[in-house]
Amino acid sequence: MAETIFSEMSRLALEHDAINLGQGFPDTPGPREVVDSAVAAMHKGWNQYPPAVGIASLRHAIADHQRRWYGLDVAADGGVVVCSGASEALSSAMTGLLRPGDEVIALEPYYDLYGATAALLGATLVPVRIHAPDYALDAAALRAAVTERTTMIVLNTPHNPTGAVLSRAELQSIADIAIEHDLVVLSDEVYEHLVFDDNVHVPIATLPGMFERTITVGSGGKTFSVTGWKIGWATGPSSLVEKVLGVKQWFSFAAGTPLQHGIATGLELPDDRLAHLGDDLARKRDLLTDGLRELGLEVFHSKATYFVTADVAPLGVTDSLEFCRSLPERVGVAAVPNQVFHASPEGVETQVRFACCKRDEILADALLRLRKL
């Protein structure tokens, strides 16, 4: 279990006083109401252990959010568990449902936690690649990846690192396969409110026959730009959510009490506030995309998330991992090589992920530094 690429790039950024466009965290304080609510909770003395499942006000806010936005009937008692970040929700779900020898399918590129957790459990992650530039789902390849040992599909939409947003038709293809083979779907939807332009996020749990076989994972940290708070959750039928809680209670037991109060306040903000969370980020995506293209790079259009993917081959690069490891010292910018999100780097050797969730002046400075290349 080596150091993660995110830790490595952030460490190099600190060592060389580089702008960190590698790890996906914003550099803004988050909505004032959310922060004030957490601070108020601290002053009220709400600083002790909460229930392992999460405080009641946050669980009800999560359940109400799923109903308002997606029409999903999630029970606040039994259908929601609050975790120490979405990462804990994902790893707890996999730990609760996978056994040694099981196979779990994930769209590739994939968040590295999926593969690490599968390996720890003695399960096998089976990648199904989606390809640049459009990152469309190959339903035939997904179907071909299913074997008698397959028990789960890990779905990530909006997708990290590509910024893809799966269409309803693509999700239906996944649903058809899951139902046909009686598979559980673990749906990582942490960027659900950070969708750009006219793209629409559709939770797979809303499709016919899918709620009862889907664990949906969300993130207050991602939604409200407070990633260090590590407040995430899993929702779904009680029969699946209890598996998440059964494991999670032995990991962290509970997440920060006052921070849960803050996220509950955020989820109760007017819907139009949540609907526009991605607007400013879309503008930052454009700023970074345009700047990288001016440097001669091929940039793949990002429809969502914190990230933009570019091909650095025009700079003479042949290995993005080597390129990213040297970048902080060479020009004072950190980024992440996309090959670490793949089982094999073949075909993506020169792709790099850049985070656009920074202040405008930081992005401008980073682009200026990159011109040294």
Side-chain angles (χ1 to χ4, degrees):
M1 305 306 291
E3 180 182 33
T4 72
I5 193 66
F6 310 109
S7 296
E8 180 182 0
M9 293 305 139
S10 291
R11 173 175 52 78
L12 290 172
L14 287 171
E15 287 178 8
H16 299 288
D17 195 25
I19 295 173
N20 192 348
L21 301 187
Q23 195 166 8
F25 58 85
D27 57 1
T28 51
R32 181 63 181 267
E33 301 95 324
V34 174
V35 175
D36 285 351
S37 178
V39 172
M42 294 179 196
H43 285 307
K44 291 175 182 176
W46 297 341
N47 299 306
Q48 308 310 320
Y49 291 127
V53 72
I55 64 172
S57 61
L58 179 53
R59 287 187 285 107
H60 281 274
I62 293 167
D64 185 57
H65 169 274
Q66 296 300 90
R67 178 188 57 77
R68 292 194 335 265
W69 281 87
Y70 309 122
L72 290 169
D73 185 15
V74 173
D77 297 320
V80 180
V81 58
V82 178
C83 298
S84 290
S87 292
E88 185 183 53
L90 291 163
S91 58
S92 295
M94 294 178 73
T95 302
L97 292 167
L98 295 177
R99 297 292 177 267
D102 285 352
E103 292 181 356
V104 52
I105 295 173
L107 299 186
E108 184 188 51
Y110 51 82
Y111 179 40
D112 58 357
L113 175 140
Y114 308 157
T117 304
L120 285 168
L121 298 172
T124 301
L125 188 140
V126 179
V128 174
R129 186 172 292 194
I130 55 176
H131 297 273
D134 57 356
Y135 297 111
L137 173 71
D138 185 340
L142 179 65
R143 183 174 292 278
V146 179
T147 73
E148 68 278 1
R149 292 187 295 178
T150 306
T151 59
M152 176 185 288
I153 297 174
V154 177
L155 171 65
N156 177 211
T157 182
H159 187 261
N160 171 24
T162 67
V165 178
L166 271 65
S167 68
R168 184 177 292 274
E170 290 173 315
L171 292 170
Q172 188 61 61
S173 297
I174 296 172
D176 292 343
I177 293 169
I179 293 170
E180 178 182 343
H181 295 278
D182 192 25
L183 307 178
V184 171
V185 173
L186 177 57
S187 189
D188 180 352
E189 302 179 13
V190 299
Y191 296 102
E192 61 185 314
H193 289 296
L194 304 180
V195 178
F196 312 143
D197 310 320
D198 296 324
N199 296 289
V200 177
H201 167 61
V202 178
I204 196 169
T206 63
L207 274 57
M210 287 306 297
F211 178 79
E212 55 266 35
R213 64 177 64 252
T214 301
I215 298 174
T216 302
V217 173
S219 169
K222 289 291 195 301
T223 295
F224 300 113
S225 297
V226 287
T227 58
W229 288 15
K230 297 297 291 179
I231 302 295
W233 53 81
T235 64
S238 59
S239 59
L240 292 179
V241 171
E242 68 182 10
K243 303 288 188 183
V244 181
L245 176 61
V247 174
K248 168 254 192 283
Q249 66 182 342
W250 302 114
F251 283 175
S252 66
F253 178 73
T257 303
L259 307 180
Q260 292 193 43
H261 284 280
I263 298 301
T265 296
L267 291 175
E268 292 165 353
L269 290 173
D271 285 354
D272 64 333
R273 288 284 300 279
L274 293 182
H276 292 294
L277 285 173
D279 292 350
D280 188 54
L281 196 56
R283 185 182 53 76
K284 295 176 183 293
R285 171 209 58 184
D286 293 341
L287 192 160
L288 182 59
T289 296
D290 292 345
L292 292 173
R293 283 177 176 158
E294 287 176 6
L295 297 176
L297 306 185
E298 181 181 9
V299 183
F300 307 115
H301 183 64
S302 176
K303 299 177 181 178
T305 76
Y306 286 161
F307 308 112
V308 168
T309 294
D311 193 327
V312 295
L315 298 175
V317 175
T318 58
D319 183 350
S320 61
L321 181 57
E322 180 182 304
F323 170 79
C324 287
R325 280 176 168 156
S326 67
L327 197 61
E329 183 175 7
R330 289 173 63 197
V331 302
V333 175
V336 170
N338 266 28
Q339 60 180 270
V340 303
F341 303 113
H342 294 75
S344 166
E346 184 178 357
V348 295
E349 297 93 339
T350 57
Q351 291 181 13
V352 173
R353 190 191 80 173
F354 295 90
C356 61
C357 52
K358 309 295 181 180
R359 299 191 309 275
D360 290 4
E361 62 269 27
I362 299 299
L363 293 174
D365 189 6
L367 290 167
L368 187 63
R369 297 182 185 201
L370 288 168
R371 286 185 180 278
K372 298 175 186 175
L373 296 170

mmCIF file with all atom_site columns, all heavy atoms in Angstrom, residues 285-299:
data_model
loop_
_atom_site.group_PDB
_atom_site.id
_atom_site.type_symbol
_atom_site.label_atom_id
_atom_site.label_alt_id
_atom_site.label_comp_id
_atom_site.label_asym_id
_atom_site.label_entity_id
_atom_site.label_seq_id
_atom_site.pdbx_PDB_ins_code
_atom_site.Cartn_x
_atom_site.Cartn_y
_atom_site.Cartn_z
_atom_site.occupancy
_atom_site.B_iso_or_equiv
_atom_site.pdbx_formal_charge
_atom_site.auth_seq_id
_atom_site.auth_comp_id
_atom_site.auth_asym_id
_atom_site.auth_atom_id
_atom_site.pdbx_PDB_model_num
ATOM 1   N N   . ARG A 1 285 ? -13.513 26.244 -15.279 1.00 0.00 ? 285 ARG A N   1
ATOM 2   C CA  . ARG A 1 285 ? -13.168 25.197 -16.252 1.00 0.00 ? 285 ARG A CA  1
ATOM 3   C C   . ARG A 1 285 ? -12.790 25.825 -17.586 1.00 0.00 ? 285 ARG A C   1
ATOM 4   O O   . ARG A 1 285 ? -11.792 25.461 -18.220 1.00 0.00 ? 285 ARG A O   1
ATOM 5   C CB  . ARG A 1 285 ? -14.347 24.248 -16.444 1.00 0.00 ? 285 ARG A CB  1
ATOM 6   C CG  . ARG A 1 285 ? -14.159 23.261 -17.601 1.00 0.00 ? 285 ARG A CG  1
ATOM 7   C CD  . ARG A 1 285 ? -15.471 22.853 -18.231 1.00 0.00 ? 285 ARG A CD  1
ATOM 8   N NE  . ARG A 1 285 ? -16.245 23.977 -18.734 1.00 0.00 ? 285 ARG A NE  1
ATOM 9   C CZ  . ARG A 1 285 ? -17.461 23.864 -19.260 1.00 0.00 ? 285 ARG A CZ  1
ATOM 10  N NH1 . ARG A 1 285 ? -18.045 22.674 -19.323 1.00 0.00 ? 285 ARG A NH1 1
ATOM 11  N NH2 . ARG A 1 285 ? -18.105 24.930 -19.711 1.00 0.00 ? 285 ARG A NH2 1
ATOM 12  N N   . ASP A 1 286 ? -13.581 26.796 -18.017 1.00 0.00 ? 286 ASP A N   1
ATOM 13  C CA  . ASP A 1 286 ? -13.308 27.461 -19.298 1.00 0.00 ? 286 ASP A CA  1
ATOM 14  C C   . ASP A 1 286 ? -11.980 28.215 -19.256 1.00 0.00 ? 286 ASP A C   1
ATOM 15  O O   . ASP A 1 286 ? -11.208 28.190 -20.228 1.00 0.00 ? 286 ASP A O   1
ATOM 16  C CB  . ASP A 1 286 ? -14.443 28.413 -19.648 1.00 0.00 ? 286 ASP A CB  1
ATOM 17  C CG  . ASP A 1 286 ? -15.741 27.684 -19.945 1.00 0.00 ? 286 ASP A CG  1
ATOM 18  O OD1 . ASP A 1 286 ? -15.688 26.473 -20.222 1.00 0.00 ? 286 ASP A OD1 1
ATOM 19  O OD2 . ASP A 1 286 ? -16.808 28.338 -19.900 1.00 0.00 ? 286 ASP A OD2 1
ATOM 20  N N   . LEU A 1 287 ? -11.719 28.884 -18.131 1.00 0.00 ? 287 LEU A N   1
ATOM 21  C CA  . LEU A 1 287 ? -10.473 29.639 -17.998 1.00 0.00 ? 287 LEU A CA  1
ATOM 22  C C   . LEU A 1 287 ? -9.269  28.707 -18.126 1.00 0.00 ? 287 LEU A C   1
ATOM 23  O O   . LEU A 1 287 ? -8.310  28.998 -18.861 1.00 0.00 ? 287 LEU A O   1
ATOM 24  C CB  . LEU A 1 287 ? -10.466 30.358 -16.651 1.00 0.00 ? 287 LEU A CB  1
ATOM 25  C CG  . LEU A 1 287 ? -9.412  31.428 -16.370 1.00 0.00 ? 287 LEU A CG  1
ATOM 26  C CD1 . LEU A 1 287 ? -9.884  32.338 -15.222 1.00 0.00 ? 287 LEU A CD1 1
ATOM 27  C CD2 . LEU A 1 287 ? -8.059  30.841 -16.007 1.00 0.00 ? 287 LEU A CD2 1
ATOM 28  N N   . LEU A 1 288 ? -9.327  27.578 -17.427 1.00 0.00 ? 288 LEU A N   1
ATOM 29  C CA  . LEU A 1 288 ? -8.216  26.634 -17.461 1.00 0.00 ? 288 LEU A CA  1
ATOM 30  C C   . LEU A 1 288 ? -8.126  25.943 -18.817 1.00 0.00 ? 288 LEU A C   1
ATOM 31  O O   . LEU A 1 288 ? -7.028  25.784 -19.385 1.00 0.00 ? 288 LEU A O   1
ATOM 32  C CB  . LEU A 1 288 ? -8.372  25.604 -16.341 1.00 0.00 ? 288 LEU A CB  1
ATOM 33  C CG  . LEU A 1 288 ? -7.251  24.571 -16.208 1.00 0.00 ? 288 LEU A CG  1
ATOM 34  C CD1 . LEU A 1 288 ? -5.904  25.234 -15.973 1.00 0.00 ? 288 LEU A CD1 1
ATOM 35  C CD2 . LEU A 1 288 ? -7.556  23.589 -15.070 1.00 0.00 ? 288 LEU A CD2 1
ATOM 36  N N   . THR A 1 289 ? -9.269  25.532 -19.352 1.00 0.00 ? 289 THR A N   1
ATOM 37  C CA  . THR A 1 289 ? -9.286  24.859 -20.655 1.00 0.00 ? 289 THR A CA  1
ATOM 38  C C   . THR A 1 289 ? -8.699  25.749 -21.742 1.00 0.00 ? 289 THR A C   1
ATOM 39  O O   . THR A 1 289 ? -7.842  25.320 -22.531 1.00 0.00 ? 289 THR A O   1
ATOM 40  C CB  . THR A 1 289 ? -10.723 24.448 -21.022 1.00 0.00 ? 289 THR A CB  1
ATOM 41  O OG1 . THR A 1 289 ? -11.199 23.488 -20.076 1.00 0.00 ? 289 THR A OG1 1
ATOM 42  C CG2 . THR A 1 289 ? -10.778 23.837 -22.415 1.00 0.00 ? 289 THR A CG2 1
ATOM 43  N N   . ASP A 1 290 ? -9.150  26.992 -21.795 1.00 0.00 ? 290 ASP A N   1
ATOM 44  C CA  . ASP A 1 290 ? -8.656  27.914 -22.819 1.00 0.00 ? 290 ASP A CA  1
ATOM 45  C C   . ASP A 1 290 ? -7.156  28.142 -22.663 1.00 0.00 ? 290 ASP A C   1
ATOM 46  O O   . ASP A 1 290 ? -6.412  28.182 -23.657 1.00 0.00 ? 290 ASP A O   1
ATOM 47  C CB  . ASP A 1 290 ? -9.400  29.243 -22.734 1.00 0.00 ? 290 ASP A CB  1
ATOM 48  C CG  . ASP A 1 290 ? -10.868 29.129 -23.121 1.00 0.00 ? 290 ASP A CG  1
ATOM 49  O OD1 . ASP A 1 290 ? -11.233 28.101 -23.727 1.00 0.00 ? 290 ASP A OD1 1
ATOM 50  O OD2 . ASP A 1 290 ? -11.644 30.057 -22.816 1.00 0.00 ? 290 ASP A OD2 1
ATOM 51  N N   . GLY A 1 291 ? -6.708  28.291 -21.419 1.00 0.00 ? 291 GLY A N   1
ATOM 52  C CA  . GLY A 1 291 ? -5.289  28.523 -21.185 1.00 0.00 ? 291 GLY A CA  1
ATOM 53  C C   . GLY A 1 291 ? -4.430  27.348 -21.587 1.00 0.00 ? 291 GLY A C   1
ATOM 54  O O   . GLY A 1 291 ? -3.347  27.520 -22.179 1.00 0.00 ? 291 GLY A O   1
ATOM 55  N N   . LEU A 1 292 ? -4.876  26.121 -21.290 1.00 0.00 ? 292 LEU A N   1
ATOM 56  C CA  . LEU A 1 292 ? -4.116  24.936 -21.672 1.00 0.00 ? 292 LEU A CA  1
ATOM 57  C C   . LEU A 1 292 ? -4.085  24.759 -23.189 1.00 0.00 ? 292 LEU A C   1
ATOM 58  O O   . LEU A 1 292 ? -3.060  24.349 -23.760 1.00 0.00 ? 292 LEU A O   1
ATOM 59  C CB  . LEU A 1 292 ? -4.713  23.695 -21.000 1.00 0.00 ? 292 LEU A CB  1
ATOM 60  C CG  . LEU A 1 292 ? -4.578  23.612 -19.476 1.00 0.00 ? 292 LEU A CG  1
ATOM 61  C CD1 . LEU A 1 292 ? -5.364  22.434 -18.922 1.00 0.00 ? 292 LEU A CD1 1
ATOM 62  C CD2 . LEU A 1 292 ? -3.108  23.510 -19.061 1.00 0.00 ? 292 LEU A CD2 1
ATOM 63  N N   . ARG A 1 293 ? -5.186  25.100 -23.843 1.00 0.00 ? 293 ARG A N   1
ATOM 64  C CA  . ARG A 1 293 ? -5.203  25.003 -25.309 1.00 0.00 ? 293 ARG A CA  1
ATOM 65  C C   . ARG A 1 293 ? -4.272  26.030 -25.944 1.00 0.00 ? 293 ARG A C   1
ATOM 66  O O   . ARG A 1 293 ? -3.644  25.763 -26.972 1.00 0.00 ? 293 ARG A O   1
ATOM 67  C CB  . ARG A 1 293 ? -6.635  25.184 -25.811 1.00 0.00 ? 293 ARG A CB  1
ATOM 68  C CG  . ARG A 1 293 ? -7.492  23.931 -25.600 1.00 0.00 ? 293 ARG A CG  1
ATOM 69  C CD  . ARG A 1 293 ? -8.918  24.114 -26.019 1.00 0.00 ? 293 ARG A CD  1
ATOM 70  N NE  . ARG A 1 293 ? -9.657  22.849 -25.886 1.00 0.00 ? 293 ARG A NE  1
ATOM 71  C CZ  . ARG A 1 293 ? -10.971 22.756 -25.772 1.00 0.00 ? 293 ARG A CZ  1
ATOM 72  N NH1 . ARG A 1 293 ? -11.719 23.864 -25.763 1.00 0.00 ? 293 ARG A NH1 1
ATOM 73  N NH2 . ARG A 1 293 ? -11.547 21.583 -25.662 1.00 0.00 ? 293 ARG A NH2 1
ATOM 74  N N   . GLU A 1 294 ? -4.159  27.198 -25.327 1.00 0.00 ? 294 GLU A N   1
ATOM 75  C CA  . GLU A 1 294 ? -3.226  28.203 -25.834 1.00 0.00 ? 294 GLU A CA  1
ATOM 76  C C   . GLU A 1 294 ? -1.777  27.730 -25.741 1.00 0.00 ? 294 GLU A C   1
ATOM 77  O O   . GLU A 1 294 ? -0.915  28.192 -26.491 1.00 0.00 ? 294 GLU A O   1
ATOM 78  C CB  . GLU A 1 294 ? -3.397  29.511 -25.060 1.00 0.00 ? 294 GLU A CB  1
ATOM 79  C CG  . GLU A 1 294 ? -4.679  30.268 -25.399 1.00 0.00 ? 294 GLU A CG  1
ATOM 80  C CD  . GLU A 1 294 ? -4.857  31.515 -24.546 1.00 0.00 ? 294 GLU A CD  1
ATOM 81  O OE1 . GLU A 1 294 ? -3.921  31.845 -23.783 1.00 0.00 ? 294 GLU A OE1 1
ATOM 82  O OE2 . GLU A 1 294 ? -5.927  32.128 -24.643 1.00 0.00 ? 294 GLU A OE2 1
ATOM 83  N N   . LEU A 1 295 ? -1.527  26.801 -24.831 1.00 0.00 ? 295 LEU A N   1
ATOM 84  C CA  . LEU A 1 295 ? -0.183  26.220 -24.701 1.00 0.00 ? 295 LEU A CA  1
ATOM 85  C C   . LEU A 1 295 ? 0.055   25.109 -25.731 1.00 0.00 ? 295 LEU A C   1
ATOM 86  O O   . LEU A 1 295 ? 1.134   24.528 -25.769 1.00 0.00 ? 295 LEU A O   1
ATOM 87  C CB  . LEU A 1 295 ? 0.015   25.653 -23.294 1.00 0.00 ? 295 LEU A CB  1
ATOM 88  C CG  . LEU A 1 295 ? -0.045  26.652 -22.132 1.00 0.00 ? 295 LEU A CG  1
ATOM 89  C CD1 . LEU A 1 295 ? 0.075   25.932 -20.805 1.00 0.00 ? 295 LEU A CD1 1
ATOM 90  C CD2 . LEU A 1 295 ? 1.053   27.689 -22.266 1.00 0.00 ? 295 LEU A CD2 1
ATOM 91  N N   . GLY A 1 296 ? -0.979  24.811 -26.522 1.00 0.00 ? 296 GLY A N   1
ATOM 92  C CA  . GLY A 1 296 ? -0.847  23.797 -27.553 1.00 0.00 ? 296 GLY A CA  1
ATOM 93  C C   . GLY A 1 296 ? -1.292  22.416 -27.144 1.00 0.00 ? 296 GLY A C   1
ATOM 94  O O   . GLY A 1 296 ? -1.092  21.445 -27.885 1.00 0.00 ? 296 GLY A O   1
ATOM 95  N N   . LEU A 1 297 ? -1.912  22.294 -25.973 1.00 0.00 ? 297 LEU A N   1
ATOM 96  C CA  . LEU A 1 297 ? -2.345  20.988 -25.495 1.00 0.00 ? 297 LEU A CA  1
ATOM 97  C C   . LEU A 1 297 ? -3.735  20.644 -26.031 1.00 0.00 ? 297 LEU A C   1
ATOM 98  O O   . LEU A 1 297 ? -4.566  21.527 -26.265 1.00 0.00 ? 297 LEU A O   1
ATOM 99  C CB  . LEU A 1 297 ? -2.380  20.960 -23.967 1.00 0.00 ? 297 LEU A CB  1
ATOM 100 C CG  . LEU A 1 297 ? -1.094  21.363 -23.238 1.00 0.00 ? 297 LEU A CG  1
ATOM 101 C CD1 . LEU A 1 297 ? -1.264  21.161 -21.741 1.00 0.00 ? 297 LEU A CD1 1
ATOM 102 C CD2 . LEU A 1 297 ? 0.102   20.593 -23.758 1.00 0.00 ? 297 LEU A CD2 1
ATOM 103 N N   . GLU A 1 298 ? -3.989  19.353 -26.203 1.00 0.00 ? 298 GLU A N   1
ATOM 104 C CA  . GLU A 1 298 ? -5.341  18.886 -26.509 1.00 0.00 ? 298 GLU A CA  1
ATOM 105 C C   . GLU A 1 298 ? -6.083  18.725 -25.187 1.00 0.00 ? 298 GLU A C   1
ATOM 106 O O   . GLU A 1 298 ? -5.640  17.971 -24.314 1.00 0.00 ? 298 GLU A O   1
ATOM 107 C CB  . GLU A 1 298 ? -5.307  17.557 -27.259 1.00 0.00 ? 298 GLU A CB  1
ATOM 108 C CG  . GLU A 1 298 ? -6.698  17.045 -27.608 1.00 0.00 ? 298 GLU A CG  1
ATOM 109 C CD  . GLU A 1 298 ? -6.693  15.717 -28.339 1.00 0.00 ? 298 GLU A CD  1
ATOM 110 O OE1 . GLU A 1 298 ? -5.608  15.086 -28.430 1.00 0.00 ? 298 GLU A OE1 1
ATOM 111 O OE2 . GLU A 1 298 ? -7.770  15.295 -28.803 1.00 0.00 ? 298 GLU A OE2 1
ATOM 112 N N   . VAL A 1 299 ? -7.193  19.437 -25.040 1.00 0.00 ? 299 VAL A N   1
ATOM 113 C CA  . VAL A 1 299 ? -7.965  19.392 -23.805 1.00 0.00 ? 299 VAL A CA  1
ATOM 114 C C   . VAL A 1 299 ? -9.318  18.761 -24.096 1.00 0.00 ? 299 VAL A C   1
ATOM 115 O O   . VAL A 1 299 ? -10.015 19.177 -25.026 1.00 0.00 ? 299 VAL A O   1
ATOM 116 C CB  . VAL A 1 299 ? -8.153  20.801 -23.205 1.00 0.00 ? 299 VAL A CB  1
ATOM 117 C CG1 . VAL A 1 299 ? -8.894  20.716 -21.877 1.00 0.00 ? 299 VAL A CG1 1
ATOM 118 C CG2 . VAL A 1 299 ? -6.805  21.488 -23.008 1.00 0.00 ? 299 VAL A CG2 1
#
